[in-house]
Amino acid sequence: NAGVTQTPKFRVLKTGQSMTLLCAQDMNHEYMYWYRQDPGMGLRLIHYSVGEGTTAKGEVPDGYNVSRLKKQNFLLGLESAAPSQTSVYFCASKPLAGGPSVATQYFGPGTRLLVL
Amino acid sequence: DAKTTQPNSMESNEEEPVHLPCNHSTISGTDYIHWYRQLPSQGPEYVIHGLTSNVNNRMASLAIAEDRKSSTLILHRATLRDAAVYYCILAYNQGGKLIFGQGTELSVKP
């Protein structure tokens, strides 16, 4: 199993450009999450999904949209990138077993995004 | 929202035990205590979690205070590969969201 993979690994955007980050997991997990991590900070939750076709807002959702059309994929979109969105983006997934508070989240390797 | 408080940084010598403290005085009865760690330039990885009783696994031990207002992650013999940022997190019921603080940066000296 590849686990959680993220595409691309690194990207440079100009202000106002759009892009989509792809997260894929091959563990048949129900829950998926997008986080951002700024230098010297902990991760902050952007959006999450508790199942195919569902999404919900996290702590810092503004400027981002997400879609979960397939169970194994969770897309994060930036419609009009801003320098404040320069960050490292991590995707994670979690199985349903054990309930929401129990099971482990599995993280991808991250995508480094620089917005000029 | 229940929050956690951890020291910003700690140092340890290789081969010695490390005790990483975490305070969570506003924890609710249904919050699980999770520990994750983040190695340099990597995504976080799960270490251990517990509810009320102490827990052991191959990576670490988790000691939870009787009143659940604090916990301690114990690395029994620190290695250089254990140098990382360690996050103590209370897991919310809704959607299993994890709220990360700034964590404790552990450095291990040879």
Side-chain angles (χ1 to χ4, degrees), chain B residues 4-70:
Chain B
T4 62
T5 305
Q6 300 177 252
N8 288 335
S9 62
M10 290 184 65
E11 277 189 355
S12 172
N13 294 318
E14 197 175 13
E15 302 291 317
E16 290 185 355
V18 181
H19 291 229
L20 297 165
C22 180
N23 288 322
H24 28 78
S25 58
T26 59
I27 189 171
S28 73
T30 54
D31 283 338
Y32 280 75
I33 302 159
H34 286 237
W35 284 82
Y36 282 74
R37 73 178 185 180
Q38 187 174 21
L39 302 172
S41 300
Q42 295 189 25
E45 65 174 342
Y46 167 84
V47 177
I48 201 165
H49 77 275
L51 184 61
T52 56
S53 303
N54 295 344
V55 183
N56 300 298
N57 67 20
R58 64 174 181 82
M59 289 181 71
S61 296
L62 175 60
I64 301 173
E66 198 168 330
D67 63 4
R68 298 208 332 124
K69 292 185 176 182
S70 65

Short mmCIF file of all heavy atoms in Angstrom, two decimals, chain B residues 4-70:
data_model
loop_
_atom_site.label_atom_id
_atom_site.label_comp_id
_atom_site.label_asym_id
_atom_site.label_seq_id
_atom_site.Cartn_x
_atom_site.Cartn_y
_atom_site.Cartn_z
N THR B 4 -4.48 22.08 24.98
CA THR B 4 -3.35 21.47 25.68
C THR B 4 -2.22 22.47 25.80
O THR B 4 -2.10 23.39 24.98
CB THR B 4 -2.84 20.23 24.92
OG1 THR B 4 -2.38 20.64 23.63
CG2 THR B 4 -3.95 19.19 24.76
N THR B 5 -1.39 22.29 26.82
CA THR B 5 -0.22 23.13 27.06
C THR B 5 1.00 22.24 27.18
O THR B 5 1.00 21.30 27.99
CB THR B 5 -0.39 23.97 28.34
OG1 THR B 5 -1.60 24.73 28.26
CG2 THR B 5 0.79 24.92 28.51
N GLN B 6 2.01 22.55 26.35
CA GLN B 6 3.25 21.77 26.36
C GLN B 6 4.44 22.73 26.41
O GLN B 6 4.36 23.86 25.92
CB GLN B 6 3.37 20.94 25.07
CG GLN B 6 2.28 19.95 24.82
CD GLN B 6 2.49 19.26 23.47
OE1 GLN B 6 1.76 19.49 22.52
NE2 GLN B 6 3.48 18.38 23.44
N PRO B 7 5.56 22.28 26.96
CA PRO B 7 6.77 23.11 26.88
C PRO B 7 7.19 23.25 25.43
O PRO B 7 6.99 22.35 24.62
CB PRO B 7 7.80 22.32 27.71
CG PRO B 7 7.25 20.94 27.80
CD PRO B 7 5.79 21.03 27.71
N ASN B 8 7.79 24.40 25.11
CA ASN B 8 8.19 24.64 23.73
C ASN B 8 9.29 23.69 23.28
O ASN B 8 9.32 23.25 22.13
CB ASN B 8 8.67 26.08 23.56
CG ASN B 8 7.53 27.07 23.62
OD1 ASN B 8 6.39 26.73 23.33
ND2 ASN B 8 7.84 28.29 24.01
N SER B 9 10.22 23.39 24.17
CA SER B 9 11.35 22.55 23.78
C SER B 9 11.87 21.77 24.98
O SER B 9 11.67 22.16 26.13
CB SER B 9 12.47 23.41 23.19
OG SER B 9 12.96 24.32 24.15
N MET B 10 12.49 20.64 24.66
CA MET B 10 13.16 19.82 25.68
C MET B 10 14.39 19.20 25.05
O MET B 10 14.44 19.00 23.82
CB MET B 10 12.22 18.72 26.19
CG MET B 10 11.07 19.23 27.04
SD MET B 10 10.06 17.92 27.73
CE MET B 10 11.22 17.10 28.83
N GLU B 11 15.35 18.88 25.92
CA GLU B 11 16.56 18.21 25.46
C GLU B 11 16.72 16.88 26.17
O GLU B 11 16.30 16.74 27.33
CB GLU B 11 17.80 19.08 25.76
CG GLU B 11 18.08 20.16 24.75
CD GLU B 11 19.42 20.81 25.00
OE1 GLU B 11 20.07 20.49 26.01
OE2 GLU B 11 19.81 21.65 24.17
N SER B 12 17.31 15.95 25.48
CA SER B 12 17.57 14.65 26.09
C SER B 12 18.91 14.13 25.58
O SER B 12 19.38 14.53 24.52
CB SER B 12 16.47 13.67 25.72
OG SER B 12 16.79 12.37 26.15
N ASN B 13 19.49 13.23 26.36
CA ASN B 13 20.68 12.53 25.90
C ASN B 13 20.26 11.18 25.31
O ASN B 13 19.28 10.55 25.75
CB ASN B 13 21.66 12.30 27.06
CG ASN B 13 22.22 13.61 27.57
OD1 ASN B 13 22.58 14.51 26.81
ND2 ASN B 13 22.30 13.74 28.89
N GLU B 14 21.01 10.77 24.31
CA GLU B 14 20.74 9.49 23.67
C GLU B 14 20.79 8.37 24.70
O GLU B 14 21.60 8.40 25.63
CB GLU B 14 21.77 9.27 22.56
CG GLU B 14 21.40 8.21 21.56
CD GLU B 14 22.40 8.11 20.43
OE1 GLU B 14 23.51 8.69 20.56
OE2 GLU B 14 22.09 7.46 19.43
N GLU B 15 19.92 7.39 24.53
CA GLU B 15 19.84 6.19 25.38
C GLU B 15 19.19 6.46 26.73
O GLU B 15 19.02 5.53 27.51
CB GLU B 15 21.23 5.58 25.61
CG GLU B 15 21.97 5.21 24.33
CD GLU B 15 21.33 4.04 23.60
OE1 GLU B 15 20.95 3.07 24.28
OE2 GLU B 15 21.19 4.10 22.38
N GLU B 16 18.82 7.71 27.01
CA GLU B 16 18.15 8.00 28.28
C GLU B 16 16.64 8.13 28.08
O GLU B 16 16.18 8.43 26.98
CB GLU B 16 18.70 9.31 28.87
CG GLU B 16 20.14 9.18 29.36
CD GLU B 16 20.62 10.43 30.05
OE1 GLU B 16 19.88 11.43 30.07
OE2 GLU B 16 21.75 10.42 30.56
N PRO B 17 15.85 7.91 29.15
CA PRO B 17 14.41 8.08 29.03
C PRO B 17 14.04 9.56 28.92
O PRO B 17 14.75 10.44 29.44
CB PRO B 17 13.86 7.47 30.33
CG PRO B 17 15.00 7.57 31.29
CD PRO B 17 16.25 7.44 30.48
N VAL B 18 12.93 9.80 28.25
CA VAL B 18 12.42 11.17 28.08
C VAL B 18 10.97 11.20 28.52
O VAL B 18 10.18 10.33 28.14
CB VAL B 18 12.49 11.62 26.61
CG1 VAL B 18 11.99 13.06 26.47
CG2 VAL B 18 13.90 11.49 26.07
N HIS B 19 10.63 12.20 29.32
CA HIS B 19 9.25 12.38 29.77
C HIS B 19 8.74 13.71 29.22
O HIS B 19 9.19 14.77 29.63
CB HIS B 19 9.18 12.38 31.31
CG HIS B 19 9.46 11.05 31.90
ND1 HIS B 19 8.66 10.48 32.86
CD2 HIS B 19 10.44 10.14 31.67
CE1 HIS B 19 9.14 9.30 33.21
NE2 HIS B 19 10.22 9.07 32.50
N LEU B 20 7.79 13.64 28.32
CA LEU B 20 7.24 14.84 27.70
C LEU B 20 5.88 15.14 28.34
O LEU B 20 4.93 14.38 28.17
CB LEU B 20 7.07 14.63 26.19
CG LEU B 20 8.38 14.39 25.43
CD1 LEU B 20 8.10 13.82 24.05
CD2 LEU B 20 9.16 15.68 25.31
N PRO B 21 5.76 16.27 29.04
CA PRO B 21 4.51 16.55 29.75
C PRO B 21 3.49 17.28 28.89
O PRO B 21 3.84 17.99 27.93
CB PRO B 21 4.97 17.46 30.89
CG PRO B 21 6.13 18.21 30.30
CD PRO B 21 6.80 17.26 29.33
N CYS B 22 2.23 17.14 29.28
CA CYS B 22 1.13 17.85 28.61
C CYS B 22 0.04 18.14 29.63
O CYS B 22 -0.38 17.24 30.36
CB CYS B 22 0.59 17.00 27.47
SG CYS B 22 -0.76 17.79 26.56
N ASN B 23 -0.39 19.38 29.69
CA ASN B 23 -1.50 19.75 30.56
C ASN B 23 -2.76 19.97 29.73
O ASN B 23 -2.70 20.60 28.67
CB ASN B 23 -1.18 21.03 31.34
CG ASN B 23 -0.15 20.79 32.41
OD1 ASN B 23 -0.15 19.75 33.06
ND2 ASN B 23 0.75 21.73 32.61
N HIS B 24 -3.86 19.44 30.21
CA HIS B 24 -5.15 19.60 29.52
C HIS B 24 -6.24 19.67 30.58
O HIS B 24 -7.08 18.76 30.71
CB HIS B 24 -5.41 18.47 28.51
CG HIS B 24 -4.76 17.16 28.83
ND1 HIS B 24 -5.29 16.29 29.78
CD2 HIS B 24 -3.65 16.58 28.34
CE1 HIS B 24 -4.51 15.23 29.85
NE2 HIS B 24 -3.50 15.37 28.99
N SER B 25 -6.24 20.77 31.29
CA SER B 25 -7.10 20.90 32.47
C SER B 25 -8.59 20.99 32.12
O SER B 25 -9.44 20.75 32.98
CB SER B 25 -6.69 22.12 33.30
OG SER B 25 -6.76 23.28 32.51
N THR B 26 -8.92 21.36 30.87
CA THR B 26 -10.33 21.49 30.50
C THR B 26 -10.82 20.30 29.68
O THR B 26 -11.83 20.39 28.99
CB THR B 26 -10.56 22.79 29.71
OG1 THR B 26 -9.73 22.76 28.53
CG2 THR B 26 -10.21 24.01 30.54
N ILE B 27 -10.14 19.19 29.77
CA ILE B 27 -10.52 17.99 29.01
C ILE B 27 -11.92 17.55 29.40
O ILE B 27 -12.32 17.62 30.57
CB ILE B 27 -9.49 16.87 29.24
CG1 ILE B 27 -9.72 15.70 28.29
CG2 ILE B 27 -9.50 16.42 30.70
CD1 ILE B 27 -8.60 14.66 28.32
N SER B 28 -12.69 17.09 28.41
CA SER B 28 -14.02 16.58 28.71
C SER B 28 -13.94 15.06 28.88
O SER B 28 -12.96 14.44 28.50
CB SER B 28 -15.00 16.93 27.60
OG SER B 28 -14.75 16.14 26.46
N GLY B 29 -15.01 14.49 29.40
CA GLY B 29 -15.00 13.06 29.72
C GLY B 29 -14.84 12.16 28.52
O GLY B 29 -14.39 11.02 28.66
N THR B 30 -15.19 12.66 27.34
CA THR B 30 -15.14 11.80 26.15
C THR B 30 -13.94 12.11 25.25
O THR B 30 -13.79 11.50 24.20
CB THR B 30 -16.42 11.97 25.32
OG1 THR B 30 -16.61 13.36 25.05
CG2 THR B 30 -17.62 11.43 26.08
N ASP B 31 -13.10 13.05 25.63
CA ASP B 31 -11.92 13.37 24.81
C ASP B 31 -10.84 12.32 25.01
O ASP B 31 -10.45 12.03 26.14
CB ASP B 31 -11.35 14.74 25.19
CG ASP B 31 -12.15 15.89 24.64
OD1 ASP B 31 -12.87 15.68 23.64
OD2 ASP B 31 -12.06 16.99 25.19
N TYR B 32 -10.33 11.80 23.90
CA TYR B 32 -9.17 10.95 23.94
C TYR B 32 -7.91 11.82 23.87
O TYR B 32 -7.90 12.86 23.23
CB TYR B 32 -9.15 9.98 22.76
CG TYR B 32 -10.05 8.79 22.94
CD1 TYR B 32 -11.43 8.91 22.81
CD2 TYR B 32 -9.53 7.54 23.23
CE1 TYR B 32 -12.26 7.82 22.97
CE2 TYR B 32 -10.34 6.43 23.39
CZ TYR B 32 -11.72 6.59 23.26
OH TYR B 32 -12.53 5.50 23.43
N ILE B 33 -6.85 11.37 24.51
CA ILE B 33 -5.56 12.05 24.47
C ILE B 33 -4.70 11.35 23.43
O ILE B 33 -4.43 10.15 23.53
CB ILE B 33 -4.87 11.99 25.84
CG1 ILE B 33 -5.76 12.62 26.90
CG2 ILE B 33 -3.51 12.69 25.78
CD1 ILE B 33 -5.43 12.18 28.31
N HIS B 34 -4.32 12.11 22.40
CA HIS B 34 -3.48 11.57 21.33
C HIS B 34 -2.12 12.23 21.35
O HIS B 34 -2.01 13.43 21.64
CB HIS B 34 -4.13 11.84 19.97
CG HIS B 34 -5.31 11.00 19.66
ND1 HIS B 34 -5.39 10.19 18.55
CD2 HIS B 34 -6.47 10.83 20.32
CE1 HIS B 34 -6.55 9.56 18.54
NE2 HIS B 34 -7.23 9.94 19.60
N TRP B 35 -1.12 11.48 20.98
CA TRP B 35 0.21 12.03 20.75
C TRP B 35 0.64 11.70 19.33
O TRP B 35 0.53 10.54 18.89
CB TRP B 35 1.22 11.47 21.75
CG TRP B 35 1.13 12.07 23.11
CD1 TRP B 35 0.26 11.71 24.10
CD2 TRP B 35 1.94 13.12 23.65
NE1 TRP B 35 0.47 12.48 25.22
CE2 TRP B 35 1.49 13.35 24.97
CE3 TRP B 35 2.99 13.89 23.16
CZ2 TRP B 35 2.08 14.32 25.81
CZ3 TRP B 35 3.56 14.84 23.98
CH2 TRP B 35 3.11 15.06 25.29
N TYR B 36 1.09 12.74 18.65
CA TYR B 36 1.68 12.59 17.33
C TYR B 36 3.06 13.21 17.38
O TYR B 36 3.34 14.04 18.22
CB TYR B 36 0.85 13.32 16.26
CG TYR B 36 -0.39 12.59 15.83
CD1 TYR B 36 -1.51 12.52 16.66
CD2 TYR B 36 -0.46 11.98 14.59
CE1 TYR B 36 -2.66 11.85 16.25
CE2 TYR B 36 -1.60 11.30 14.17
CZ TYR B 36 -2.69 11.24 15.01
OH TYR B 36 -3.81 10.58 14.62
N ARG B 37 3.90 12.80 16.44
CA ARG B 37 5.19 13.46 16.32
C ARG B 37 5.44 13.78 14.86
O ARG B 37 4.93 13.12 13.96
CB ARG B 37 6.31 12.62 16.90
CG ARG B 37 6.71 11.40 16.09
CD ARG B 37 7.85 10.69 16.75
NE ARG B 37 8.35 9.59 15.93
CZ ARG B 37 9.35 8.80 16.29
NH1 ARG B 37 9.98 8.98 17.46
NH2 ARG B 37 9.75 7.84 15.49
N GLN B 38 6.25 14.81 14.65
CA GLN B 38 6.57 15.23 13.29
C GLN B 38 8.09 15.33 13.16
O GLN B 38 8.71 16.22 13.77
CB GLN B 38 5.90 16.57 12.96
CG GLN B 38 6.07 16.99 11.52
CD GLN B 38 5.27 18.24 11.19
OE1 GLN B 38 4.89 19.02 12.05
NE2 GLN B 38 4.98 18.44 9.91
N LEU B 39 8.64 14.42 12.38
CA LEU B 39 10.06 14.47 12.08
C LEU B 39 10.31 15.60 11.09
O LEU B 39 9.40 16.02 10.36
CB LEU B 39 10.52 13.13 11.52
CG LEU B 39 10.27 11.92 12.44
CD1 LEU B 39 10.57 10.63 11.70
CD2 LEU B 39 11.08 12.03 13.70
N PRO B 40 11.53 16.11 11.03
CA PRO B 40 11.82 17.22 10.11
C PRO B 40 11.42 16.91 8.67
O PRO B 40 11.70 15.85 8.15
CB PRO B 40 13.34 17.38 10.24
CG PRO B 40 13.65 16.86 11.61
CD PRO B 40 12.70 15.74 11.85
N SER B 41 10.71 17.86 8.07
CA SER B 41 10.28 17.79 6.67
C SER B 41 9.38 16.60 6.36
O SER B 41 9.35 16.11 5.23
CB SER B 41 11.51 17.74 5.73
OG SER B 41 12.30 18.89 5.91
N GLN B 42 8.65 16.12 7.35
CA GLN B 42 7.71 15.03 7.13
C GLN B 42 6.34 15.39 7.70
O GLN B 42 6.20 16.35 8.46
CB GLN B 42 8.21 13.74 7.79
CG GLN B 42 9.49 13.18 7.19
CD GLN B 42 9.81 11.81 7.72
OE1 GLN B 42 8.93 11.08 8.16
NE2 GLN B 42 11.08 11.46 7.70
N GLY B 43 5.34 14.61 7.33
CA GLY B 43 4.03 14.76 7.93
C GLY B 43 4.01 14.15 9.31
O GLY B 43 4.85 13.32 9.65
N PRO B 44 3.07 14.56 10.14
CA PRO B 44 2.97 13.97 11.48
C PRO B 44 2.72 12.47 11.41
O PRO B 44 2.13 11.98 10.45
CB PRO B 44 1.77 14.70 12.10
CG PRO B 44 1.66 15.97 11.33
CD PRO B 44 2.08 15.62 9.94
N GLU B 45 3.15 11.76 12.45
CA GLU B 45 2.85 10.34 12.55
C GLU B 45 2.31 10.05 13.95
O GLU B 45 2.73 10.66 14.94
CB GLU B 45 4.08 9.47 12.26
CG GLU B 45 5.21 9.61 13.23
CD GLU B 45 6.33 8.60 12.96
OE1 GLU B 45 6.10 7.60 12.26
OE2 GLU B 45 7.43 8.83 13.50
N TYR B 46 1.37 9.15 13.99
CA TYR B 46 0.75 8.75 15.24
C TYR B 46 1.76 8.07 16.16
O TYR B 46 2.60 7.29 15.71
CB TYR B 46 -0.39 7.79 14.92
CG TYR B 46 -0.96 7.04 16.09
CD1 TYR B 46 -1.93 7.62 16.90
CD2 TYR B 46 -0.56 5.74 16.38
CE1 TYR B 46 -2.48 6.93 17.96
CE2 TYR B 46 -1.10 5.05 17.43
CZ TYR B 46 -2.06 5.64 18.22
OH TYR B 46 -2.60 4.95 19.27
N VAL B 47 1.67 8.39 17.45
CA VAL B 47 2.54 7.74 18.42
C VAL B 47 1.72 6.83 19.34
O VAL B 47 1.97 5.64 19.44
CB VAL B 47 3.32 8.77 19.27
CG1 VAL B 47 4.16 8.07 20.33
CG2 VAL B 47 4.20 9.65 18.38
N ILE B 48 0.71 7.41 19.98
CA ILE B 48 -0.04 6.65 20.98
C ILE B 48 -1.30 7.44 21.34
O ILE B 48 -1.36 8.65 21.10
CB ILE B 48 0.84 6.40 22.22
CG1 ILE B 48 0.33 5.24 23.08
CG2 ILE B 48 1.01 7.68 23.04
CD1 ILE B 48 1.37 4.75 24.08
N HIS B 49 -2.29 6.77 21.88
CA HIS B 49 -3.44 7.49 22.41
C HIS B 49 -4.04 6.72 23.58
O HIS B 49 -3.80 5.51 23.73
CB HIS B 49 -4.51 7.74 21.34
CG HIS B 49 -5.34 6.54 21.00
ND1 HIS B 49 -4.95 5.61 20.08
CD2 HIS B 49 -6.56 6.16 21.45
CE1 HIS B 49 -5.88 4.68 19.98
NE2 HIS B 49 -6.87 4.98 20.79
N GLY B 50 -4.82 7.42 24.40
CA GLY B 50 -5.45 6.79 25.55
C GLY B 50 -6.64 7.60 26.03
O GLY B 50 -6.81 8.76 25.65
N LEU B 51 -7.43 6.99 26.90
CA LEU B 51 -8.61 7.67 27.45
C LEU B 51 -8.45 7.88 28.95
O LEU B 51 -8.49 9.01 29.42
CB LEU B 51 -9.87 6.85 27.17
CG LEU B 51 -11.19 7.48 27.61
CD1 LEU B 51 -11.42 8.79 26.89
CD2 LEU B 51 -12.36 6.52 27.38
N THR B 52 -8.27 6.80 29.69
CA THR B 52 -8.12 6.92 31.14
C THR B 52 -6.93 6.13 31.68
O THR B 52 -6.24 6.59 32.57
CB THR B 52 -9.39 6.42 31.87
OG1 THR B 52 -9.64 5.08 31.46
CG2 THR B 52 -10.60 7.27 31.53
N SER B 53 -6.71 4.97 31.11
CA SER B 53 -5.65 4.09 31.64
C SER B 53 -4.33 4.35 30.92
O SER B 53 -4.31 4.81 29.79
CB SER B 53 -6.04 2.62 31.44
OG SER B 53 -7.26 2.35 32.06
N ASN B 54 -3.24 4.03 31.60
CA ASN B 54 -1.93 4.11 30.97
C ASN B 54 -1.86 3.13 29.81
O ASN B 54 -2.49 2.07 29.82
CB ASN B 54 -0.84 3.82 31.99
CG ASN B 54 -0.77 4.87 33.08
OD1 ASN B 54 -1.34 5.97 32.94
ND2 ASN B 54 -0.11 4.56 34.17
N VAL B 55 -1.10 3.49 28.79
CA VAL B 55 -1.02 2.71 27.56
C VAL B 55 0.44 2.51 27.18
O VAL B 55 1.28 3.40 27.39
CB VAL B 55 -1.76 3.43 26.41
CG1 VAL B 55 -1.75 2.58 25.15
CG2 VAL B 55 -3.17 3.80 26.80
N ASN B 56 0.72 1.35 26.62
CA ASN B 56 2.07 1.07 26.12
C ASN B 56 1.98 0.56 24.70
O ASN B 56 1.06 -0.19 24.36
CB ASN B 56 2.76 0.00 26.97
CG ASN B 56 2.91 0.41 28.41
OD1 ASN B 56 3.58 1.39 28.71
ND2 ASN B 56 2.27 -0.33 29.30
N ASN B 57 2.91 0.96 23.85
CA ASN B 57 3.06 0.32 22.55
C ASN B 57 4.54 0.28 22.23
O ASN B 57 5.38 0.63 23.06
CB ASN B 57 2.22 1.01 21.48
CG ASN B 57 2.67 2.42 21.15
OD1 ASN B 57 3.80 2.82 21.41
ND2 ASN B 57 1.76 3.19 20.57
N ARG B 58 4.86 -0.15 21.01
CA ARG B 58 6.26 -0.37 20.68
C ARG B 58 7.05 0.94 20.62
O ARG B 58 8.26 0.95 20.73
CB ARG B 58 6.38 -1.10 19.34
CG ARG B 58 5.85 -0.34 18.17
CD ARG B 58 6.11 -1.04 16.84
NE ARG B 58 5.60 -0.25 15.73
CZ ARG B 58 6.25 0.76 15.17
NH1 ARG B 58 7.44 1.12 15.64
NH2 ARG B 58 5.73 1.44 14.17
N MET B 59 6.34 2.05 20.45
CA MET B 59 7.04 3.33 20.32
C MET B 59 7.23 4.03 21.65
O MET B 59 8.26 4.68 21.87
CB MET B 59 6.27 4.27 19.40
CG MET B 59 6.29 3.89 17.94
SD MET B 59 5.38 5.06 16.91
CE MET B 59 6.46 6.49 16.96
N ALA B 60 6.21 3.96 22.51
CA ALA B 60 6.23 4.78 23.71
C ALA B 60 5.22 4.29 24.74
O ALA B 60 4.48 3.34 24.49
CB ALA B 60 5.90 6.23 23.33
N SER B 61 5.21 4.98 25.86
CA SER B 61 4.18 4.76 26.89
C SER B 61 3.47 6.08 27.15
O SER B 61 4.08 7.15 27.02
CB SER B 61 4.81 4.24 28.19
OG SER B 61 5.40 2.99 28.01
N LEU B 62 2.21 5.97 27.52
CA LEU B 62 1.42 7.16 27.86
C LEU B 62 0.91 7.00 29.28
O LEU B 62 0.20 6.02 29.57
CB LEU B 62 0.24 7.31 26.89
CG LEU B 62 -0.74 8.44 27.17
CD1 LEU B 62 -0.03 9.79 27.15
CD2 LEU B 62 -1.89 8.42 26.16
N ALA B 63 1.29 7.93 30.14
CA ALA B 63 0.83 7.93 31.51
C ALA B 63 -0.20 9.05 31.67
O ALA B 63 0.10 10.21 31.37
CB ALA B 63 2.00 8.15 32.46
N ILE B 64 -1.41 8.69 32.11
CA ILE B 64 -2.50 9.66 32.24
C ILE B 64 -2.81 9.85 33.71
O ILE B 64 -3.01 8.88 34.45
CB ILE B 64 -3.75 9.16 31.49
CG1 ILE B 64 -3.42 8.94 30.01
CG2 ILE B 64 -4.90 10.15 31.65
CD1 ILE B 64 -4.54 8.28 29.22
N ALA B 65 -2.85 11.09 34.15
CA ALA B 65 -3.16 11.39 35.54
C ALA B 65 -4.56 10.90 35.89
O ALA B 65 -5.44 10.83 35.03
CB ALA B 65 -3.05 12.90 35.78
N GLU B 66 -4.75 10.61 37.14
CA GLU B 66 -6.05 10.07 37.59
C GLU B 66 -7.19 11.04 37.28
O GLU B 66 -8.29 10.61 36.93
CB GLU B 66 -5.98 9.79 39.09
CG GLU B 66 -7.07 8.85 39.58
CD GLU B 66 -6.82 8.36 40.99
OE1 GLU B 66 -5.64 8.24 41.39
OE2 GLU B 66 -7.80 8.11 41.70
N ASP B 67 -6.94 12.33 37.41
CA ASP B 67 -8.00 13.32 37.12
C ASP B 67 -8.04 13.69 35.64
O ASP B 67 -8.85 14.54 35.24
CB ASP B 67 -7.83 14.58 37.98
CG ASP B 67 -6.53 15.31 37.70
OD1 ASP B 67 -5.79 14.90 36.78
OD2 ASP B 67 -6.24 16.29 38.40
N ARG B 68 -7.17 13.11 34.84
CA ARG B 68 -7.08 13.30 33.38
C ARG B 68 -6.71 14.73 32.99
O ARG B 68 -6.84 15.08 31.83
CB ARG B 68 -8.38 12.90 32.69
CG ARG B 68 -8.73 11.46 32.87
CD ARG B 68 -9.57 10.81 31.78
NE ARG B 68 -10.45 11.67 31.04
CZ ARG B 68 -10.42 11.79 29.71
NH1 ARG B 68 -9.57 11.11 28.99
NH2 ARG B 68 -11.27 12.59 29.10
N LYS B 69 -6.26 15.53 33.92
CA LYS B 69 -5.93 16.91 33.56
C LYS B 69 -4.51 17.05 33.04
O LYS B 69 -4.09 18.14 32.64
CB LYS B 69 -6.16 17.82 34.77
CG LYS B 69 -7.64 17.93 35.13
CD LYS B 69 -7.88 18.92 36.24
CE LYS B 69 -9.37 19.06 36.50
NZ LYS B 69 -9.67 20.06 37.55
N SER B 70 -3.77 15.99 33.06
CA SER B 70 -2.42 16.01 32.49
C SER B 70 -2.04 14.61 32.05
O SER B 70 -2.66 13.62 32.46
CB SER B 70 -1.40 16.52 33.51
OG SER B 70 -1.30 15.64 34.60
#
